[in-house]
Amino acid sequence: MTLIKSISGIRGTIGGPAGDTLNPLDIVRFTSAYATFIAKSLNEERRPKVVVGRDARISGEMVRSVVCGTLMGMGFDVVDLGLATTPTTELAVTAHHADGGIIITASHNPAQWNALKLLNSDGEFLTAADGAEVLDIAAREDFVYAGVDNLGTYISDNGFDSRHVEEVLSLDLVNVEAVKARRFRVCVDVVNSVGGIILPRLLDALGVEYTILNGEPTGRFAHNPEPLEKNLQGIMTAVREGDFDLGIVVDPDVDRLAFISEDGTMFGEEYTLVSVADYILGHTPGNTVSNLSSTRALRDVTLRHGGEYFASAVGEVNVTTKMKEAGAVIGGEGNGGVIYPASHYGRDALVGIALFLSLLAERGVTLTTLRASLPQYSIAKNRIDLTPGTDIDAILARVKEMYRDEQVTDIDGVKIDFADRWVHLRKSNTEPIIRVYSEASTVEDADALGKQIMKIVEEMI
């Protein structure tokens, strides 16, 4: 079964029986539920409005047509951005004074997947409570469609990319002149999606000379689109052999960001946020947030700048909620997601690129030099496969009790912080497994710690 319903939206593979995959019937059902939820919260006597954007997936046009038609059938006005990044769509919601937004993207998943991600009127992901209400409405199919005189309207806005770029360039800590003066030479992998449309506009405005790999937004990804080292050998080789200052990699919806150092090695996906935070905190002292499975390096950098670090449960909406509570000046996730409140509360690779290049330009350093200046940690990622019906909560409770003398956090699974390392166990929402992330000064030590905890868990089963 490859249709996954969660509080953040619905995702699945294209084609197959209704109810088991992402198909037109389920797209209509879920879009109708979202529209019903949005309409319930409106007190004004006016037609609701929703912004829709999509990445370049092969199925995107089909899904977009169904989503937009359903919204119009529910009496909603639709602003269709066409091909647009996730952060572009988020910004467009508030710019258009819309009541919500739907992003059609499966993010880093392979080409056969697609998804609907749901936004509120602030252009932010729905809270857990709101997402649960949408799921409940979808299960009850409690929909009322509009009569012929009250159908929604459709308008196309294909120019919002320029507004997004302008917004990034206007940020106080984006040092446009310093970046232009540095005259960077950059290789960029946009994995055949919407990054190929918007990133050239940003780089042109910053005076960066660039070469684009996999630039046509066909949705036929040239490699696995998740920006991990094992999938990026092409750009790593291109940077190493092409005399570039750095490489830039984004995922299909351009909310995740990874860098390649000038020698063709990975800068480290976890260190995208850490380095940008180091730059922000140097200009704007304050607090930071990342999720429990992200590197401890952000905490170390934050303390070095006199701020306080906070951890959230995994998930972008959990990070942004904690950022608001803590008054954080920067935050995000270790998967390359930078959230900068001076722009908006959403992961935005364009903001990350502009701030990172500003950092390099102001300090006059290379990526290898910058990476060496940051706290050195490595993360290992493992999993424990379980049989369906295993009481994962009971297992995690026993692990928590075993390590009660250490610093333990249980807001999302169980995280055990030791003096110089940590391990985080959390159950998957979609399959019977426990994810085991661990970090230490070397990847070998991190993996050994993860395997040690895994052995203890396996003995409990």
Side-chain angles (χ1 to χ4, degrees), residues 406-461:
E406 304 292 343
Q407 180 182 335
V408 177
T409 307
D410 62 359
I411 60 173
D412 184 7
V414 175
K415 182 176 183 180
I416 308 161
D417 273 289
F418 303 95
D420 61 347
R421 60 197 64 199
W422 57 259
V423 62
H424 184 203
L425 294 84
R426 58 187 296 267
K427 65 179 179 179
S428 168
N429 293 323
T430 58
E431 50 187 330
I433 66 171
I434 296 176
R435 301 191 188 281
V436 183
Y437 287 13
S438 50
E439 182 175 68
S441 57
T442 68
V443 70
E444 292 80 12
D445 286 347
D447 191 56
L449 174 61
K451 298 284 177 53
Q452 173 188 332
I453 302 297
M454 290 169 66
K455 183 178 180 181
I456 292 172
V457 171
E458 288 163 355
E459 291 173 351
M460 296 179 181
I461 302 172

Side-chain angles (χ1 to χ4, degrees), residues 95-240:
H96 279 282
H97 306 289
D99 302 295
I102 297 179
I103 309 165
I104 301 167
T105 175
S107 190
H108 62 275
N109 290 110
Q112 68 269 30
W113 288 81
N114 214 329
L116 309 185
K117 296 184 178 181
L118 309 179
L119 305 175
N120 62 23
S121 60
D122 293 321
E124 300 170 14
F125 289 112
L126 299 186
T127 65
D130 288 345
E133 185 172 350
V134 172
L135 289 175
D136 182 61
I137 295 169
R140 290 186 283 111
E141 296 192 10
D142 188 13
F143 319 135
V144 177
Y145 295 98
V148 68
D149 293 325
N150 295 302
L151 295 174
T153 62
Y154 173 92
I155 65 170
S156 178
D157 178 3
N158 293 319
F160 206 85
D161 279 358
S162 296
R163 294 181 65 178
H164 187 180
V165 170
E166 290 168 5
E167 192 277 338
V168 172
L169 298 176
S170 71
L171 294 170
D172 289 342
L173 293 186
V174 173
N175 193 333
V176 176
E177 295 310 312
V179 174
K180 286 182 175 179
R182 181 71 182 267
R183 301 177 67 85
F184 288 105
R185 292 189 68 249
V186 175
C187 187
V188 186
D189 187 346
V190 293
V191 71
N192 305 108
S193 193
V194 290
I197 300 171
I198 195 169
L199 290 192
R201 297 184 183 187
L202 176 67
L203 297 174
D204 284 338
L206 290 170
V208 174
E209 180 184 338
Y210 56 87
T211 296
I212 300 288
L213 304 181
N214 309 314
E216 289 297 316
T218 61
R220 299 185 182 278
F221 306 141
H223 55 76
N224 185 308
E226 188 166 10
L228 302 176
E229 181 172 0
K230 63 183 180 181
N231 303 325
L232 302 177
Q233 296 304 308
I235 186 171
M236 293 171 69
T237 299
V239 171
R240 182 171 60 251

Side-chain angles (χ1 to χ4, degrees), residues 49-56 60-61 63-65 67-68 71-72 77-98 100-105 117 119 123 153-165 194 197-198 201 217 253 344:
K49 182 192 298 183
V50 167
V51 172
V52 176
R54 69 178 181 93
D55 70 15
E61 180 59 30
V63 178
R64 181 208 64 80
S65 298
V67 166
C68 291
L71 289 170
M72 293 168 67
D77 290 340
V78 175
V79 180
D80 183 7
L81 303 182
L83 292 171
T85 74
T86 284
T88 303
T89 308
E90 292 169 347
L91 289 167
V93 169
T94 55
H96 279 282
H97 306 289
I102 297 179
I103 309 165
I104 301 167
T105 175
K117 296 184 178 181
L119 305 175
T153 62
Y154 173 92
I155 65 170
S156 178
D157 178 3
N158 293 319
F160 206 85
D161 279 358
S162 296
R163 294 181 65 178
H164 187 180
V165 170
V194 290
I197 300 171
I198 195 169
R201 297 184 183 187
D253 66 325
H344 64 117

